[in-house]
Amino acid sequence: MTNVAISAQETLASSPFVPYEKLLVATWRGTVGGKVSMNLKRDQKPGVRPGAPFGTRLMRYFYPVHYQLGMEMEQAMSQGRVDRMQAAMLWLVHSKGAGEWVPRKEVLETLSTWFELSEAKISRLMHTLSNEPFHFLLIAESPQSARQKIIKLTDDGEAFVDGMTKAAIAYLNRRLAHLSAEEQANALDFMAHIFLPPETDVSPDQMK
């Protein structure tokens, strides 16, 4: 895990994503009067022509965000008890079901897309989470069809997902501690514009 308190030189020496990490370090450490300078010469970095489109410049952040931020947070959310696929499964059941039963097929379809897993592999993961030492999932026949299954989190499963949420928040608070309140608000606004429907009206307080 990258420690934001270490020097830029140490970060560059240890990072597998040197061109990307170098850009990130320069961005957040290029401060003027306590604020991040947005006038860095990003377009002069190797591989990005001057005046490159927004999408081209944003691509430089893909691997750092995916592997350093995303997967480190996944590891924190797993709490040393489940693997990242099992953690994703529990989160899906929690978010889709909101305490109620979820069609097993919906979870299968989503996980098979995210992780390129076979239905048999996903079924084994579900079976593992429904038995000792976890007992995080309940699996039953669907009232609509005996051929279909429905799944739901147990009380222990809900408690674990609650722990996942707390672990993720703690990780993000540590990892992004170098951002000012204004920068955090701008980041949330940016993410909301990307991932929420255009008609969704979200106040800054709701995004905290």
Side-chain angles (χ1 to χ4, degrees):
M1 181 183 300
T2 302
N3 187 338
V4 296
I6 64 178
S7 69
Q9 289 78 14
E10 290 172 318
T11 301
L12 293 176
S14 62
S15 173
F17 307 105
V18 172
Y20 304 96
E21 185 72 9
K22 185 175 182 180
L23 184 60
L24 291 173
V25 170
T27 300
W28 299 122
R29 295 182 184 276
T31 57
V32 176
K35 293 186 177 181
V36 173
S37 171
M38 301 308 292
N39 296 318
L40 300 173
K41 297 179 180 179
R42 296 190 185 95
D43 290 349
Q44 296 180 17
K45 297 292 181 182
V48 178
R49 62 180 175 78
F54 172 75
T56 302
R57 292 157 60 195
L58 187 62
M59 271 295 297
R60 298 181 64 83
Y61 296 90
F62 171 74
Y63 282 108
V65 169
H66 180 64
Y67 287 105
Q68 291 182 246
L69 187 63
M71 294 188 73
E72 284 178 2
M73 189 166 76
E74 279 187 330
Q75 184 178 7
M77 293 172 73
S78 297
Q79 303 171 69
R81 297 187 63 190
V82 299
D83 63 31
R84 55 194 293 263
M85 292 173 283
Q86 291 171 322
M89 179 182 296
L90 294 170
W91 187 267
L92 272 174
V93 177
H94 168 77
S95 60
K96 287 178 175 289
E100 302 299 328
W101 293 94
V102 179
R104 175 176 172 272
K105 183 179 180 180
E106 289 186 13
V107 178
L108 282 172
E109 290 174 348
T110 302
L111 286 177
S112 63
T113 300
W114 286 359
F115 296 104
E116 298 182 358
L117 296 174
S118 67
E119 183 174 334
K121 173 64 174 177
I122 298 173
S123 295
R124 287 195 294 273
L125 291 176
M126 288 183 179
H127 180 74
T128 299
L129 290 172
S130 67
N131 289 285
E132 291 283 359
F134 302 111
H135 288 301
F136 289 163
L137 283 179
L138 293 173
I139 305 174
E141 288 186 359
S142 170
Q144 279 75 42
S145 171
R147 298 180 60 186
Q148 299 296 325
K149 300 290 185 180
I150 52 178
I151 56 179
K152 178 182 178 181
L153 292 180
T154 63
D155 290 343
D156 285 345
E158 290 286 2
F160 184 81
V161 172
D162 182 60
M164 290 174 64
T165 303
K166 292 176 180 177
I169 292 172
Y171 167 77
L172 289 171
N173 286 340
R174 293 192 306 271
R175 187 66 174 83
L176 305 180
H178 58 294
L179 299 183
S180 68
E182 181 182 358
E183 290 160 358
Q184 291 176 6
N186 289 338
L188 287 172
D189 185 60
F190 178 64
M191 299 297 282
H193 277 79
I194 292 177
F195 295 108
L196 295 180
E199 66 274 11
T200 302
D201 184 16
V202 181
S203 68
D205 289 339
Q206 290 175 303
M207 293 190 291
K208 290 180 181 178

